[in-house]
Amino acid sequence: MKGYFYITTPIYYVNAKPHLGHVYTTVIADVLARYHRLLGEKVFFLTGTDEHGDKISETARNLGTTPKDLADENSARFRDLWPELSVNNDRFIRTTEPDHVKTVQAILQDVYDKGDIYFGEYGGHYCVGCERFFTETEMVDGKCPIHDKELVYRQEQNYFFRMEKYRTWLIDHITKNPDFIRPERYKNEVLGMLREPLDDLCISRPKSRLSWGIELPFDRDYVCYVWFDALINYLTGIGYPNGDDFNGFWSSAQHLVGKDILKPHAVYWPTMLKSVGLEPYRHLNVHGFWNVDEAKMSKSLGNVIDPLDLKEKYGIDAFRYFLVREMVFGLDSNFSEEALIERYNADLANDLGNLVSRSTRMVSKYFGGVLAEPAGPLTDEENELRGLSLKVAREYEARMENLELHSAMASVWTLISSLNRYIDKTAPWALAKSDPDRLSVVMYHIMEGIRFVAEMIYPVMPDTSGRILGVLGMSGQYTAKNLTEFGKLKGGVAIGIPEALFPRAERLKKPEQPAGAQGKGKEKEQEETNLIDISDFAKCVLKVGKILEASAVEKSEKLVVLKIDVGKTIQIAAGIAKHYSPQELVGKYIAVVTNLKPAKLMGIQSEGMLLATDTPEGKLSLLTFDREPSVGARIR
Ligand code: MSP
């Protein structure tokens, strides 16, 4: 129904604790839910836990506990984690809840009465990890392609759902609705699965082997197969078959899943719905997998990422931003803490954090904290900025709608970069001295641009967005309408200075580098793939210098002041005092960068830079020459 948005995550198995993979899906669902609330739609966001079946029963047996106790314990871990990650779901469903059991039994009876469930015998290769049979073509070397484990051959008398009966209908539905399964690669994968006749779906387990499940209403000796039970949670969650929620939300249903559970969602579920007589869901959105440090995440490799640890180190908004920005929706991605730190520093601390902090400080300094009404004509620069803000907002909306969340964020960052450039170009610090009217125009446009940014980052970084809008005196007014007009911010508003949004990189604990050459090799590889043009290198003037004088700096353990002959005498303050005594330095021929902008270090003028490397013992070693060079000669 129009104006409604129903989003679900998979319900997670309770045989393990939540990890990065579960967090990714759930955060993306939250981002979409927040975005659609912003659009003014009625939103229902469902997540929860999948608690029946072999997998849970086996894990409980191995741990010496009962399936119920295991489910209670691990379900609570999921439920309690979500608020910690700013995930705001409307319901947390458990498949052991009475309303779900009732719905599953009602649907089983309905499908049975329609003649779509029959009793028969089947033998096949089963993966307990996936809780499903694999066909010969799906198996890889006799193993499960997802868990890389031997499959178990099972032959039993069971109940079967006539899935094959609906195959041609499903092909037709997918073909007529090309965005039913997205991105497209997964739609094609599913059409591939449907090319051959389907095995009917085994939907029961004999109680003699497994009792942890929902009893079949038409045969007490059997329980329901866990996938048939689990998929129905999407109906129970919104009150099927009765209730306004179900009527409003079902036709807008969008499921979000990882690629590992494509078949149950793309084949079992729509055919089940068809048999029940319900419309299929609107979209199945399929994302790729996170690998960790280029390897599959797994308990045995010990590389399972703990989300709360990352939240504690970097803050929840930065973690959410990284998840959204780093993974191209639909493709696999690699998770590394180094990459997270890099994004944190570049995008958040530098680009966004700096923009907000320098701008709010200027309002405080030049206007005493009250943003002046713009009191002058607009120039091309302002018109450009206005045009760009509106263009970025439209681009952002289209991309969010299309699930290109990573590029929606990239769009927002083009506006952030443009705002930083606008500040550098218009130089408010100079206008403050010469042209107060123009200053008022410029500062207004910066702050209004920041407002656009803050509104757009809300779904991904709700806390940061709220803090920025709060500083602009606009908290709690989220609506997409705010992005249709440049000029909502009122002159005369008091603007505060927020506490540092993203404390600088130095305060982050960098993870330990793995011992040995592996880590360094990787770093080097990255540097070497970051190729530059020879003209870039030519910008750097390197000359042979001879150290004429060296003296220690009082109150500094690190600095030495050097007088160096590079064709003329220059002074450099270098941080090498712990590695060289002044006496050792005098007379050395070294490599010097001579065209750096002068800087002051502890009040000492420094007009260049030395080159050095780290030794294996952790000392510095200056770059020198193996034959006597001529002083002041260019190094090429
Ligand atoms: N219980 C079933 C789903 C039933 S839905 C009616 C299940 N549970 S699960 O606990 O195994 O969760 C699988 C989901 O977790 C994936 O589809 C994906 O959403 C998420 N992820 C688990 N590992 C992942 C990665 N390494 N990367 C990204 N997401 C992955 O399957």
Side-chain angles (χ1 to χ4, degrees):
M1 205 184 281
K2 218 175 158 10
Y4 284 77
F5 180 73
Y6 176 32
I7 185 78
T8 68
T9 71
I11 45 172
Y12 303 111
Y13 287 128
V14 284
N15 64 318
K17 288 191 269 183
H19 61 60
L20 181 73
H22 309 124
V23 166
Y24 176 72
T25 317
T26 315
V27 164
I28 296 296
D30 185 68
V31 169
L32 293 172
R34 284 178 191 269
Y35 175 70
H36 283 266
R37 284 190 206 111
L38 217 138
L39 294 179
E41 294 175 2
K42 285 204 178 83
V43 171
F44 199 98
F45 169 13
L46 180 71
T47 188
T49 43
D50 186 356
E51 309 190 358
H52 294 124
D54 280 305
K55 195 176 169 107
I56 312 307
S57 171
E58 253 182 35
T59 311
R61 199 175 318 118
N62 294 340
L63 293 172
T65 178
T66 64
K68 178 77 175 88
D69 285 349
L70 178 70
D72 285 348
E73 188 184 331
N74 278 336
S75 178
R77 289 186 205 259
F78 282 94
R79 193 194 51 228
D80 297 345
L81 175 65
W82 303 134
E84 293 273 348
L85 305 182
S86 304
V87 165
N88 193 358
N89 49 299
D90 293 291
R91 178 171 174 185
F92 185 91
I93 190 169
R94 300 182 59 184
T95 53
T96 46
E97 282 168 333
D99 67 337
H100 180 67
V101 174
K102 221 168 114 201
T103 308
V104 170
Q105 289 182 325
I107 287 180
L108 280 165
Q109 189 66 53
D110 182 28
V111 176
Y112 184 72
D113 292 344
K114 283 180 172 140
D116 278 350
I117 290 177
Y118 64 92
F119 194 63
E121 180 152 347
Y122 180 78
H125 304 276
Y126 199 76
C127 170
V128 174
C130 293
E131 290 276 24
R132 73 174 179 94
F133 287 101
F134 279 80
T135 62
E136 298 281 345
T137 40
E138 286 174 320
M139 288 164 31
V140 177
D141 300 332
K143 290 183 180 167
C144 160
I146 292 160
H147 294 90
D148 195 29
K149 281 204 181 123
E150 295 289 337
L151 296 162
V152 195
Y153 190 81
R154 271 191 191 165
Q155 180 144 17
E156 276 169 358
Q157 284 205 311
N158 266 311
Y159 286 89
F160 292 85
F161 165 57
R162 295 188 193 281
M163 198 154 72
E164 166 59 17
K165 176 175 162 189
Y166 297 105
R167 183 170 62 96
T168 45
W169 163 81
L170 183 55
I171 296 175
D172 194 49
H173 185 78
I174 296 174
T175 319
K176 286 194 182 129
N177 299 275
D179 60 358
F180 181 58
I181 300 167
R182 53 186 187 177
E184 204 182 355
R185 53 181 16 230
Y186 297 108
K187 175 188 95 171
N188 297 335
E189 201 176 318
V190 173
L191 286 174
M193 293 173 194
L194 296 174
R195 229 168 267 142
E196 302 286 317
L198 295 168
D199 285 333
D200 282 341
L201 185 66
C202 176
I203 55 111
S204 65
R205 298 291 179 262
K207 268 195 193 166
S208 54
R209 186 170 62 73
L210 174 78
S211 61
W212 181 237
I214 298 176
E215 197 173 87
L216 297 190
F218 43 83
D219 190 337
R220 300 188 136 203
D221 290 336
Y222 284 85
V223 292
C224 181
Y225 165 48
V226 65
W227 268 106
F228 198 93
D229 156 356
L231 289 161
I232 291 170
N233 95 86
Y234 300 136
L235 296 179
T236 315
I238 46 170
Y240 172 83
N242 306 309
D244 291 346
D245 274 352
F246 179 75
N247 296 328
F249 284 111
W250 180 246
S251 58
S252 72
Q254 299 207 20
H255 302 308
L256 192 61
V257 297
K259 65 178 187 180
D260 54 330
I261 52 176
L262 178 62
K263 188 172 182 181
H265 282 84
V267 179
Y268 306 176
W269 184 221
T271 53
M272 285 166 64
L273 288 165
K274 183 69 183 163
S275 172
V276 175
L278 287 172
E279 281 296 300
Y281 50 79
R282 180 68 198 88
H283 293 295
L284 177 64
N285 307 302
V286 188
H287 66 74
F289 254 46
W290 284 98
N291 295 320
V292 174
D293 293 327
E294 312 292 351
K296 194 171 167 171
M297 186 164 45
S298 81
K299 256 198 251 168
S300 52
L301 282 178
N303 63 355
V304 177
I305 300 287
D306 177 1
L308 285 179
D309 180 43
L310 294 171
K311 171 188 172 177
E312 196 184 311
K313 276 187 180 160
Y314 306 106
I316 185 55
D317 277 16
F319 178 36
R320 286 171 61 112
Y321 172 73
F322 177 78
L323 293 178
V324 173
R325 182 67 185 85
E326 193 74 6
M327 182 176 261
V328 176
F329 191 88
L331 301 183
D332 290 353
S333 201
N334 185 52
F335 180 92
S336 77
E337 208 166 328
E338 289 96 299
L340 169 51
I341 291 173
E342 237 174 271
R343 281 235 174 261
Y344 181 103
N345 284 336
D347 299 3
L348 299 178
N350 279 353
D351 295 346
L352 176 59
N354 239 345
L355 171 67
V356 175
S357 112
R358 73 204 282 217
S359 313
T360 48
R361 274 172 213 285
M362 286 193 281
V363 175
S364 155
K365 190 161 167 200
Y366 305 140
F367 301 135
V370 178
L371 185 65
E373 286 284 354
L378 304 190
T379 70
D380 285 352
E381 265 145 17
E382 285 72 50
N383 288 326
E384 225 172 78
L385 190 62
R386 286 168 169 250
L388 181 77
S389 304
L390 294 171
K391 180 176 154 264
V392 164
R394 299 296 80 77
E395 206 172 76
Y396 161 84
E397 285 162 357
R399 292 176 172 182
M400 292 294 280
E401 202 62 54
N402 232 1
L403 283 175
E404 294 162 23
L405 309 184
H406 62 286
S407 38
M409 286 301 104
S411 296
V412 177
W413 256 254
T414 61
L415 180 56
I416 293 175
S417 305
S418 297
L419 283 163
N420 274 322
R421 274 200 306 276
Y422 175 75
I423 297 177
D424 295 340
K425 216 161 149 192
T426 52
W429 44 93
L431 296 175
K433 291 183 197 134
S434 60
D435 193 345
D437 284 354
R438 174 94 188 113
L439 177 69
S440 68
V441 172
V442 165
M443 286 314 303
Y444 180 83
H445 280 79
I446 298 169
M447 298 322 288
E448 179 64 354
I450 291 178
R451 181 183 70 77
F452 261 70
V453 169
E455 310 258 12
M456 287 188 282
I457 60 173
Y458 165 72
V460 178
M461 296 194 279
D463 180 52
T464 306
S465 165
R467 282 167 69 192
I468 300 175
L469 288 181
V471 160
L472 302 182
M474 288 200 64
S475 43
Q477 302 180 16
Y478 289 105
T479 147
K481 290 196 192 88
N482 289 346
L483 293 171
T484 54
E485 197 186 311
F486 195 99
K488 285 230 166 215
L489 196 60
K490 295 285 162 266
V493 67
I495 294 207
I497 299 177
E499 245 182 68
L501 294 174
F502 300 100
R504 310 229 27 115
E506 296 84 81
R507 286 177 50 194
L508 294 174
K509 270 180 268 149
K510 250 203 143 183
E512 303 261 313
Q513 275 283 343
Q518 213 188 348
K520 280 203 174 137
K522 210 162 143 194
E523 203 174 273
K524 194 164 155 256
E525 190 181 293
Q526 269 171 10
E527 277 174 18
E528 283 173 2
T529 48
N530 189 8
L531 299 180
I532 60 164
D533 207 74
I534 188 135
S535 58
D536 291 323
F537 180 70
K539 285 182 194 151
C540 187
V541 178
L542 284 167
K543 287 188 174 170
V544 176
K546 184 173 184 186
I547 301 179
L548 305 175
E549 288 173 28
S551 47
V553 174
E554 224 187 300
K555 292 201 209 123
S556 170
E557 289 173 17
K558 281 194 190 158
L559 285 183
V560 184
V561 183
L562 305 170
K563 293 267 184 326
I564 305 175
D565 183 358
V566 288
K568 61 177 182 177
T569 305
I570 61 167
Q571 172 170 292
I572 292 182
I576 55 172
K578 285 193 175 157
H579 308 276
Y580 290 95
S581 67
Q583 300 85 311
E584 270 181 282
L585 288 165
V586 175
K588 270 192 194 302
Y589 293 97
I590 56 168
V592 184
V593 184
T594 57
N595 64 333
L596 279 185
K597 284 190 186 140
K600 277 202 168 156
L601 299 175
M602 294 191 70
I604 304 161
Q605 179 82 357
S606 187
E607 304 162 281
M609 190 170 78
L610 317 182
L611 298 181
T613 187
D614 294 305
T615 68
E617 292 80 31
K619 296 292 264 182
L620 275 183
S621 170
L622 283 169
L623 190 63
T624 57
F625 302 90
D626 63 358
R627 294 207 176 106
E628 191 171 315
S630 34
V631 171
R634 201 60 207 265
I635 301 172
R636 302 172 191 283

